[in-house]
Amino acid sequence: MIEQVLEHLWRIEVPLPGNPLKSINSYLIEAGPRNLLIDTGLDRKECLDAILSGLGEVGADLEKTDFFVTHMHADHSALVPKLARDGSKVYFNRPDAEVFEGVSPWETILHYAGRNGFPEDALRAALQNHPGYKHGVTKIPQFTFLEDGDALEAGDCRFRCVRTPGHTKGHTCLYEPEKKILVSGDHILIDITPNIQCWRDGMNPLADYLASLDKVHALEVDLVLPGHRRIFRNCRERIEELKRHHRRRADEVISILAGGPRDAYRVASQMTWDLDCASWDLFPVAQKWFATGEAIAHLRYLEEKGEVFSETEGGSVTFSRES
Ligand SMILES: [Zn+2]
């Protein structure tokens, strides 16, 4: 399905079968001499069909199309190699590209999960069904890297890159100051909360995310074009809601640790989750994995603030309220 958002700017709803996100929004800026297609979908037929039929409806030619990818997650990036033609530019950010180029990021993640109390074997089995694993990027395209503040023109849109680390390390939004449009990727969504996870040492993605929210709060935005769900207008209000949400989550983590030290997996099992499951034990492994990643992000954030302490013993990490 393709719908017109503004003159020359279209939204293609690309289905994500079996994924709770339901679909991803791909945005087409139809312009001469080159179109720009922002985010694409997974490397699977349902996504490819949706993009091709959307482009076909408005007569946009892939031979004259460049791509911008907000971040590395497979639902945004994986279809690009199938769509890009010889002359296509693929605009991307360096920090996320380095994850693609790294040696098996999944092994690092598995090991880190194990140290944080996650049953590693269950995760390994579940990964085989993870869409990012099954329908992920198979061939790394030739990227053109953009930095924070760089300009990107498409038709009458003069975008500026706004680097917004948090959801991923290099996540980048596009801001059009004249039209006051923000292409927000997965940085700011409405109806659902962007997932902020930590799966590596030495990182504090929640602190990065909150700083990125403040960075966008300073922009004048009339229309937000998000990576999932509906387009919306009240950007600042949504940012304030998201900040309150994470403060509540951090408070919840602190109150769980008041019951004594425990690992991140156990903290996650005691947090409240908006899922149709009677108990933590009945959560699908993938959901437990997202939940644990979120718990670690909040624990790391609180640790950096001196409100939580961690101890590593025998390869296992335990968090507590006292050092
Ligand atoms: Zn994402």
Side-chain angles (χ1 to χ4, degrees):
M1 189 205 79
I2 187 160
E3 73 165 341
Q4 187 154 22
V5 180
L6 296 168
E7 206 188 356
H8 308 303
L9 200 160
W10 305 79
R11 178 179 82 108
I12 305 173
E13 193 179 340
V14 181
L16 299 172
N19 186 315
L21 287 169
K22 296 181 189 141
S23 62
I24 171 177
N25 296 322
S26 177
Y27 296 99
L28 169 73
I29 293 143
E30 199 202 353
R34 310 277 306 166
N35 306 307
L36 184 69
L37 191 64
I38 303 169
D39 289 344
T40 52
L42 294 164
D43 182 4
R44 59 186 291 170
K45 193 178 176 303
E46 295 89 337
C47 297
L48 181 65
D49 288 350
I51 292 275
L52 293 181
S53 85
L55 296 181
E57 267 182 64
V58 295
D61 183 355
L62 267 181
E63 296 291 338
K64 294 181 186 153
T65 302
D66 295 324
F67 300 84
F68 176 86
V69 182
T70 56
H71 66 291
M72 55 158 285
H73 287 156
D75 50 340
H76 298 255
S77 63
L79 194 57
V80 172
K82 285 263 162 73
L83 298 169
R85 299 294 181 260
D86 283 347
S88 302
K89 284 212 160 105
V90 181
Y91 297 103
F92 196 41
N93 70 81
R94 214 178 290 270
D96 280 4
E98 281 167 5
V99 178
F100 281 147
E101 288 153 4
V103 278
S104 180
W106 294 108
E107 278 308 312
T108 319
I109 290 171
L110 277 164
H111 183 67
Y112 191 83
R115 278 174 46 212
N116 281 283
F118 206 106
E120 228 179 297
D121 292 344
L123 185 58
R124 197 174 287 276
L127 259 186
Q128 312 299 326
N129 289 314
H130 186 275
Y133 199 82
K134 255 196 337 196
H135 305 289
V137 171
T138 44
K139 186 183 111 204
I140 300 172
Q142 177 83 41
F143 296 122
T144 301
F145 291 117
L146 291 172
E147 301 293 335
D148 187 42
D150 278 357
L152 180 61
E153 283 194 24
D156 61 353
C157 288
R158 291 185 170 76
F159 289 113
R160 183 152 57 81
C161 293
V162 184
R163 185 66 58 81
T164 47
H167 180 69
T168 65
K169 210 172 160 192
H171 189 289
T172 304
C173 297
L174 289 178
Y175 177 56
E176 217 292 345
E178 287 265 298
K179 299 182 196 292
K180 298 188 171 58
I181 299 170
L182 181 79
V183 178
S184 69
D186 282 1
H187 179 52
I188 303 171
L189 302 170
I190 197 134
D191 302 331
I192 51 172
T193 315
N195 195 251
I196 309 301
Q197 301 187 48
C198 183
W199 288 115
R200 254 164 240 269
D201 280 324
M203 288 179 70
N204 188 355
L206 182 55
D208 295 342
Y209 181 66
L210 295 172
S212 296
L213 285 179
D214 286 340
K215 188 175 181 180
V216 172
H217 195 278
L219 306 173
E220 290 293 332
V221 176
D222 278 347
L223 192 66
V224 184
L225 308 181
H228 304 278
R229 307 294 168 96
R230 62 189 166 91
I231 289 169
F232 59 99
R233 291 192 177 274
N234 47 346
C235 185
R236 285 198 176 124
E237 211 177 290
R238 183 57 183 152
I239 289 172
E240 280 148 26
E241 274 173 14
L242 290 167
K243 288 177 75 171
R244 279 198 297 276
H245 165 84
H246 288 291
R247 189 62 246 175
R248 271 200 307 276
R249 293 305 250 170
D251 289 345
E252 188 181 22
V253 165
I254 286 177
S255 70
I256 289 167
L257 290 182
R262 61 207 64 196
D263 62 34
Y265 183 71
R266 242 190 97 208
V267 170
S269 75
Q270 292 176 291
M271 290 169 77
T272 39
W273 301 104
D274 189 15
L275 270 180
D276 283 340
C277 278
S279 73
W280 172 259
D281 292 334
L282 298 174
F283 276 25
V285 180
Q287 297 308 320
K288 286 183 180 171
W289 180 51
F290 287 130
T292 305
E294 284 257 356
I296 299 171
H298 286 81
L299 287 160
R300 283 283 307 124
Y301 173 72
L302 291 165
E303 188 180 16
E304 288 295 313
K305 283 172 67 108
E307 293 182 49
V308 155
F309 302 88
S310 74
E311 199 176 41
T312 307
E313 216 184 288
S316 298
V317 186
T318 308
F319 292 91
S320 60
R321 287 290 336 255
E322 266 135 60
S323 60

